[in-house]
Amino acid sequence: MQIIYNQQGIGDVLIVTLDQRNTEITSVSSGDVTEIKEKDSGEVVGYNIFHASKHLDIPETKPILPTDELVEKIGQVIESEGFTHNLNEVDRTPKFIVGKVEEMSDHPDASKLNVCQVNVGDQQHQIVCGAPNVDAGQKVVVALPGAIMPNGMKIVPSQLRGVDSHGMICSAKELNLLNASQEKGILVLDDERTVGEAFFQ
């Protein structure tokens, strides 16, 4: 689950994304809530809550951590408009976390790519990265498989030129952070950040 609220950019709308599908979707609205489903399967993939500040006390952090309290309140708003989806069954583990590049080596089949071994706290992920400034020892923002980027792209395990990659090391621009540099390169975090913690700007 990912929760996005950007009043300045899109208005007083809370966007709750449960999954991202590259298939046709349909929606049903009731009051201030719109339920979004995959058309063929009927599976719920998200909700939009309009006039969100009227219904919820929305945290100022970005992205918003789906705490038990917030998810319960969102569920109450959804139920009040006649929808019955149980949000407690949805995966709420953080998908954007602080990682540390422990090792980096050249990609065997692409001169502009590097193969990074990234510590994400409870495990290590191999991530192929093409950023010119990536290096061993850096603390970085990792989008884990299942993360949905601000542009709508879902991160999935993949292969880049034959090498497995499980996640993405992110730039500030990809994270849609304020005052993000337009130059190519990942966001390098202060060393004080804790490996494995959820990332908040």
Side-chain angles (χ1 to χ4, degrees):
M1 174 190 288
Q2 287 181 224
I3 303 171
I4 297 173
Y5 182 75
N6 183 356
Q7 188 172 24
Q8 195 170 31
I10 59 175
D12 191 15
V13 183
L14 190 78
I15 299 173
V16 181
T17 303
L18 307 180
D19 200 359
Q20 186 75 18
R21 306 291 177 86
N22 295 320
T23 54
E24 190 174 356
I25 61 171
T26 185
S27 64
V28 178
S29 296
S30 176
D32 285 337
V33 177
T34 296
E35 183 177 71
I36 303 165
K37 295 183 176 181
E38 186 177 42
K39 185 173 183 180
D40 291 339
S41 68
E43 186 174 349
V44 177
V45 296
Y47 289 94
N48 291 341
I49 299 176
F50 297 89
H51 307 111
S53 61
K54 181 177 74 174
H55 301 284
L56 300 160
D57 183 15
I58 302 170
E60 295 181 359
T61 53
K62 178 185 175 183
I64 298 172
L65 185 66
T67 62
D68 291 344
E69 181 182 4
L70 180 59
V71 171
E72 182 180 356
K73 289 181 179 178
I74 291 172
Q76 290 171 353
V77 174
I78 291 170
E79 289 178 8
S80 73
E81 300 292 5
F83 299 104
T84 59
H85 191 77
N86 186 358
L87 296 182
N88 291 321
E89 297 176 353
V90 177
D91 177 17
R92 288 188 273 146
T93 57
K95 295 295 185 268
F96 293 90
I97 63 173
V98 175
K100 183 176 181 180
V101 182
E102 300 288 2
E103 300 177 25
M104 188 180 76
S105 59
D106 294 337
H107 190 291
D109 194 35
S111 61
K112 293 186 178 181
L113 297 178
N114 294 293
V115 181
C116 301
Q117 306 302 324
V118 185
N119 177 3
V120 295
D122 58 347
Q123 55 187 310
Q124 187 159 287
H125 284 218
Q126 177 171 284
I127 300 176
V128 177
C129 180
N133 65 327
V134 66
D135 203 356
Q138 293 172 334
K139 288 188 178 178
V140 296
V141 181
V142 177
L144 297 175
I148 299 169
M149 302 300 294
N151 66 2
M153 179 180 70
K154 183 177 180 180
I155 303 300
V156 297
S158 61
Q159 281 196 343
L160 294 177
R161 299 292 290 270
V163 176
D164 291 339
S165 184
H166 296 273
M168 185 171 81
I169 302 174
C170 303
S171 70
K173 184 178 180 181
E174 289 166 333
L175 294 167
N176 198 29
L177 301 183
L178 294 175
N179 302 316
S181 171
Q182 298 304 303
E183 296 182 7
K184 290 185 178 180
I186 59 166
L187 174 63
V188 180
L189 302 174
D190 295 336
D191 197 51
E192 289 75 18
R193 301 299 289 262
T194 301
V195 171
E197 70 178 0
F199 172 73
F200 295 96
Q201 62 168 311

